[in-house]
Amino acid sequence: MDGRHSLELALPGASIGAVAGAMAGGLTLFAGQPTGMAALSALSLAMPLALFGGLYGVLLGHGVFRPGTFGPVGLYWVAAFPVSRLAQESLVGIGLADGVLPFLAYQAMVSLGFAIGFVWLHERIMPHWLIRRAAANPLAHDLLGVYVRHAGMLRARKGTRR
């Protein structure tokens, strides 16, 4: 049962990663590439981003990450995003013309922007998902409690500033 419960926690992050990767296909089309190249580009980025996004949700549910923190998540994506892009470029692109290390260094810089967007979306989607799954999933119930305590702490801080 714990595996199924963990997979339920992975769904929001995996969805965000898959949509972000699929958007790469749209950008490839916009750049004038053929439809087949755009589809391959979308799929080859959507799969690893969905995998890493889902893993983030599982790690969040098991207490490795906490809601409202960016530093550890930023470091996670500094590693995960370049690996995802390397997988995509290995299958599709010509972005490795300058070498692997400069490519990975550039992707690590870009990854922080992706991490900000990912965390922003995840923090807005995950609580709604947890509310729906909390009755049947003890991991979701516990994580929802973490989110509620975090929101209460933020509300209390905001109240003391007034």
Side-chain angles (χ1 to χ4, degrees):
M1 282 302 212
D2 189 47
R4 182 179 65 98
H5 293 156
S6 291
L7 286 176
E8 287 180 355
L9 295 181
L11 190 60
S15 300
I16 294 167
V19 168
M23 289 174 65
L27 292 174
T28 305
L29 274 175
F30 186 70
Q33 295 296 322
T35 305
M37 179 68 85
L40 183 59
S41 177
L43 185 61
S44 64
L45 186 57
M47 294 301 291
L49 287 180
L51 177 72
F52 285 120
L55 180 60
Y56 169 76
V58 171
L59 293 173
L60 182 69
H62 289 281
V64 175
F65 295 120
R66 291 182 319 198
T69 59
F70 179 74
V73 181
L75 290 175
Y76 174 80
W77 282 109
V78 162
F81 187 80
V83 169
S84 299
R85 283 284 293 124
L86 184 61
Q88 180 194 28
E89 285 297 319
S90 297
L91 292 171
V92 176
I94 55 170
L96 299 175
D98 293 333
V100 174
L101 290 179
F103 175 81
L104 290 175
Y106 177 75
Q107 296 307 318
M109 288 187 291
V110 171
S111 70
L112 291 177
F114 178 82
I116 290 168
F118 178 88
V119 169
W120 186 85
L121 275 172
H122 199 271
E123 294 281 320
R124 274 133 194 90
I125 294 171
M126 187 62 140
H128 297 286
W129 177 248
L130 294 174
I131 290 169
R132 296 182 68 148
R133 301 305 315 146
N137 184 336
L139 290 175
H141 182 270
D142 293 345
L143 185 55
L144 181 59
V146 172
Y147 271 97
V148 169
R149 284 189 299 280
H150 178 68
M153 182 185 67
L154 291 177
R155 179 173 281 159
R157 268 194 215 163
K158 188 176 180 180
T160 59
R161 286 190 224 162
R162 291 183 183 201

